[in-house]
Amino acid sequence: NAGVTQTPKFQVLKTGQSMTLQCAQDMNHEYMSWYRQDPGMGLRLIHYSVGAGITDQGEVPNGYNVSRSTTEDFPLRLLSAAPSQTSVYFCASSPRTGLQPQHFGDGTRLSIL
Amino acid sequence: AQRVTQPEKLLSVFKGAPVELKCNYSYSGSPELFWYVQYSRQRLQLLLRHISRESIKGFTADLNKGETSFHLKKPFAQEEDSAMYYCALHSGTYKYIFGTGTRLKVLA
């Protein structure tokens, strides 16, 4: 099993460009989430989903959109990139039961110029 | 408000010395707490969770509801323990709240 796969691993964008970060998992997990990791701020939840067709906002949702059309995929969209969105983005998944640990992807390092 | 606090950004200890990474939480319900670790060039991965009451790689963590703490401890640090450690709270609404992380450096 590949686990959680994120693409791309690195990306540089110009301010105002749009982009989709891909996340796929092959463990049939219901719960998927996106975090951003910034120095001194730890991991902050952007959006999450508890199943196909269900998404909700996390702590820092502004500037990001998500959708969950299948159990496997949970893409994160930046509609108009801003320098403040320069960060490392992690996708994670887990079974729906809250006591289960999350499985993380390798991360996407995104720079907005 | 639900919050996880890791007061130390960086903790340096010598090999063989005891280690304690602090984690305090704020949560009104019954907390579910985890420690995650990120080694250099590796994915963030689960280290341990309080409900298991297990010891992983020599690390233990006890939930203290009175002090609202879940500190991570190891009696004798090893160089391979050098990593970034995150304490996380599952809030019961499918949201995980992470602390800001503590970088542990074990010196030879």
Side-chain angles (χ1 to χ4, degrees):
Chain A
N1 287 345
V4 178
T5 302
Q6 289 184 238
T7 56
K9 293 193 186 304
F10 304 95
Q11 184 70 47
V12 179
L13 293 178
K14 293 181 180 179
T15 298
Q17 286 186 313
S18 62
M19 153 146 216
T20 299
L21 307 186
Q22 301 291 345
C23 176
Q25 53 93 9
D26 59 2
M27 297 171 284
N28 201 32
H29 287 167
E30 296 94 339
Y31 182 92
M32 295 185 75
S33 54
W34 277 102
Y35 296 87
R36 56 178 292 172
Q37 182 185 43
D38 301 293
M41 306 195 76
L43 287 160
R44 292 182 292 169
L45 182 64
I46 305 172
H47 285 285
Y48 66 99
S49 169
V50 298
I54 306 170
T55 64
D56 205 348
Q57 296 181 348
E59 181 185 357
V60 288
N62 293 342
Y64 307 95
N65 280 353
V66 292
S67 60
R68 185 93 180 270
S69 57
T70 67
T71 299
E72 294 78 18
D73 300 298
F74 190 45
L76 178 72
R77 297 185 191 85
L78 284 71
L79 299 178
S80 179
S84 62
Q85 293 178 305
T86 294
S87 187
V88 180
Y89 292 84
F90 287 98
C91 180
S93 74
S94 68
R96 188 166 183 169
T97 307
L99 298 178
Q100 299 301 317
Q102 294 191 88
H103 297 255
F104 284 84
D106 286 329
T108 295
R109 187 173 296 275
L110 184 62
S111 294
I112 315 295
L113 305 177
Chain B
Q2 299 164 1
R3 186 181 298 121
V4 174
T5 303
Q6 293 180 251
E8 303 137 331
K9 287 187 177 181
L10 173 65
L11 182 64
S12 296
V13 301
F14 285 102
K15 178 182 174 181
V19 173
E20 183 179 51
L21 301 172
K22 291 183 167 49
C23 172
N24 289 91
Y25 66 90
S26 173
Y27 184 60
S28 58
S30 184
E32 297 171 10
L33 289 153
F34 304 80
W35 275 100
Y36 284 83
V37 60
Q38 187 176 28
Y39 299 104
S40 179
R41 303 179 190 278
Q42 293 189 27
R43 300 183 177 194
L44 200 66
Q45 57 188 285
L46 177 73
L47 181 60
L48 53 81
R49 45 185 167 164
H50 88 271
I51 59 167
S52 301
R53 302 185 65 82
E54 57 198 345
S55 173
I56 303 295
K57 299 185 179 183
F59 284 98
T60 59
D62 291 320
L63 177 61
N64 186 323
K65 291 187 178 181
E67 296 183 358
T68 60
S69 68
F70 189 55
H71 302 329
L72 184 67
K73 298 178 183 179
K74 185 170 183 177
F76 307 104
Q78 303 298 317
E79 290 182 73
E80 56 265 31
D81 296 328
S82 295
M84 193 75 175
Y85 291 81
Y86 291 97
C87 183
L89 166 70
H90 182 261
S91 70
T93 56
Y94 302 107
K95 288 184 183 181
Y96 290 82
I97 300 168
F98 282 78
T100 52
T102 298
R103 182 168 297 283
L104 175 65
K105 285 190 176 180
V106 180
L107 309 171

